Amino acid sequence: MRPSRGFTLVELMVTLAVLAIIVSIAVPSFSELIRANRAQTQANLLLKSLNLARSEAIKRGVAVRVSALDNGNWHLGWRVWTDLNANGAFDNGEILRLFPAWGGGGTLTSQATEVIFTSGGRLAGVAAGGNNNFAYDVGQNYCKYERIISINAVGRATVTPKECGT
């Protein structure tokens, strides 16, 4: 007689039950990982655009602006641009980089509709010791993933976790 090859139905069902238990444990942890990664990525995208604007202002020796695409609704996207004709309005040919709307349901808010870096890389219109802040909110009671992006008067931008309950 030849020994049988393969699995029995009982062995297959036990294996599937163990796999189901492992997957049910891993999926919630994985969704938390995705949420944390998305929050960090979104905050870093804004940080990248602010650093780009500051470095371009220093390199070009002119003021560079970062402004919301939709009148202060930062989560709908923003642009980094330089006002070549000094008319205070965005015109064709002045854009340095466009950052599209965010996905994933988070929102980005700020009191400012525009951030301006001077030719020296400093933040225009902010008194010494003052900051310009952005808040990235995830919503759905996930405060631990929310971030505050601050730009100090010198022009340095930083990302810090938001304090829950504030």
Side-chain angles (χ1 to χ4, degrees), residues 97-109:
R97 178 101 191 262
L98 179 68
F99 292 86
W102 287 4
T107 60
L108 180 67
T109 56

Side-chain angles (χ1 to χ4, degrees), residues 105-137:
T107 60
L108 180 67
T109 56
S110 176
Q111 295 290 335
T113 58
E114 183 174 62
V115 175
I116 304 171
F117 290 94
T118 65
S119 60
R122 299 178 72 80
L123 193 59
V126 175
N131 285 345
N132 191 343
N133 294 325
F134 291 85
Y136 173 64
D137 295 316

Side-chain angles (χ1 to χ4, degrees), residues 40-50 78 99-100 102:
Q40 192 63 41
T41 300
Q42 301 291 24
N44 284 342
L45 183 63
L46 178 61
L47 185 66
K48 174 184 173 182
S49 65
L50 294 169
W78 62 90
F99 292 86
W102 287 4

Side-chain angles (χ1 to χ4, degrees), residues 41-114:
T41 300
Q42 301 291 24
N44 284 342
L45 183 63
L46 178 61
L47 185 66
K48 174 184 173 182
S49 65
L50 294 169
N51 286 335
L52 169 70
R54 184 178 185 217
S55 67
E56 286 295 320
I58 294 168
K59 181 174 88 174
R60 294 170 185 254
V62 296
V64 174
R65 300 166 181 246
V66 181
S67 56
L69 292 178
D70 185 25
N71 196 29
N73 293 322
W74 288 92
H75 64 278
L76 298 177
W78 62 90
R79 68 175 143 269
V80 176
W81 59 288
T82 180
D83 193 8
L84 297 174
N85 57 6
N87 67 351
F90 175 74
D91 299 313
N92 287 335
E94 294 180 333
I95 194 156
L96 298 176
R97 178 101 191 262
L98 179 68
F99 292 86
W102 287 4
T107 60
L108 180 67
T109 56
S110 176
Q111 295 290 335
T113 58
E114 183 174 62

